[in-house]
Amino acid sequence: QVARASESGVFAALLAQNGVLGSSTIIEGGGLFSKGGFAHAYSDHYNLEMITEKLGKSYAIPEVGIKLHDGCRHPHASVDAVKALIKEHGINKNDVREIYVKTYSTALDLQPASIETGTDAKFSIPFVIATAILEGEVTPDKFSEANIQDEGIREFMKKVKVELSPEIDAEYPEQWGADVEIITIGNKTFRRKIAFAKGE
């Protein structure tokens, strides 16, 4: 998709360099877009002045987060915490008895009741954590039908308990954090709280 977007951008630049013009009313509609442009396509009520009101003064790029893991952003702090604990303490995946994830209410509200599709899996904190531990990373291919049905992942998911942390909930949306505890079969407990997932 990135390659396609890059190719599209190059193609658009070549068209512009060779005098091919785009519509001057593509946002608000009119001319070729007599039934309405992008604004009308996305909303019945819109304010075009918002497009330019902070132009040159406010930039969105500092607000952009870079995802180091695939899937919904809400599980990412817990994935970072789990991976850091495993690396720091040399925890073997076979030694994990339970994992407790404390997070904010929005992340909990988005937890699917069951996982039937890749989209369900992307929002599931237990699935994403199980995948991170068993597969070593959370990349787009990990949300395949084969992984969703994988018995090893399904069994490991049962070890992951997700609950609300009033403290972390109060910090949201300024922080999308997680407080994670890994308890081993030998009853050792390791804990890590992360306020911001990597890339934020």
Side-chain angles (χ1 to χ4, degrees):
Q1 289 179 347
V2 172
R4 284 190 202 136
S6 177
E7 289 169 10
S8 297
V10 170
F11 184 66
L14 288 172
L15 289 173
Q17 287 172 5
N18 287 286
V20 178
L21 302 176
S23 170
S24 60
T25 59
I26 197 165
I27 303 293
E28 69 277 18
L32 291 172
F33 300 94
S34 58
K35 293 185 179 178
F38 281 126
H40 180 71
Y42 286 95
S43 177
D44 291 330
H45 308 285
Y46 48 87
N47 178 0
L48 295 176
E49 290 176 10
M50 289 180 70
I51 297 171
T52 57
E53 107 185 319
K54 293 182 182 177
L55 192 63
K57 299 173 189 161
S58 175
Y59 299 92
I61 198 144
E63 299 171 19
V64 173
I66 298 168
K67 286 186 174 183
L68 298 187
H69 317 294
D70 195 41
C72 176
R73 185 63 165 176
H74 297 301
H76 288 199
S78 55
V79 171
D80 284 349
V82 163
K83 291 186 84 169
L85 287 170
I86 285 173
K87 183 177 180 182
E88 184 179 334
H89 301 287
I91 302 168
N92 186 291
K93 62 187 176 186
N94 297 320
D95 290 336
V96 175
R97 190 179 81 202
E98 291 173 307
I99 298 175
Y100 290 93
V101 177
K102 293 180 181 178
T103 188
Y104 46 91
S105 54
T106 301
L108 284 175
D109 292 344
L110 292 171
Q111 294 305 291
S114 63
I115 296 176
E116 308 299 331
T117 67
T119 302
D120 295 333
K122 289 181 180 195
F123 287 89
S124 168
I125 292 173
F127 182 90
V128 174
I129 286 178
T131 300
I133 292 173
L134 298 178
E135 304 278 322
E137 59 185 353
V138 185
T139 49
D141 59 303
K142 304 303 182 193
F143 298 97
S144 66
E145 182 67 24
N147 272 21
I148 291 166
Q149 300 305 327
D150 184 273
E151 284 303 318
I153 291 175
R154 293 254 176 189
E155 278 302 307
F156 201 97
M157 286 173 61
K158 295 175 185 175
K159 298 179 180 187
V160 183
K161 317 292 188 227
V162 185
E163 57 191 56
L164 178 68
S165 163
E167 178 190 346
I168 293 173
D169 199 38
E171 295 164 347
Y172 178 82
E174 285 76 25
Q175 297 177 8
W176 294 32
D179 189 352
V180 174
E181 235 180 39
I182 297 178
I183 302 171
T184 67
I185 290 169
N187 283 325
K188 290 183 179 176
T189 300
F190 303 97
R191 182 175 173 222
R192 175 72 58 97
K193 182 181 177 188
I194 289 183
F196 299 97
K198 289 178 182 176
E200 289 183 0

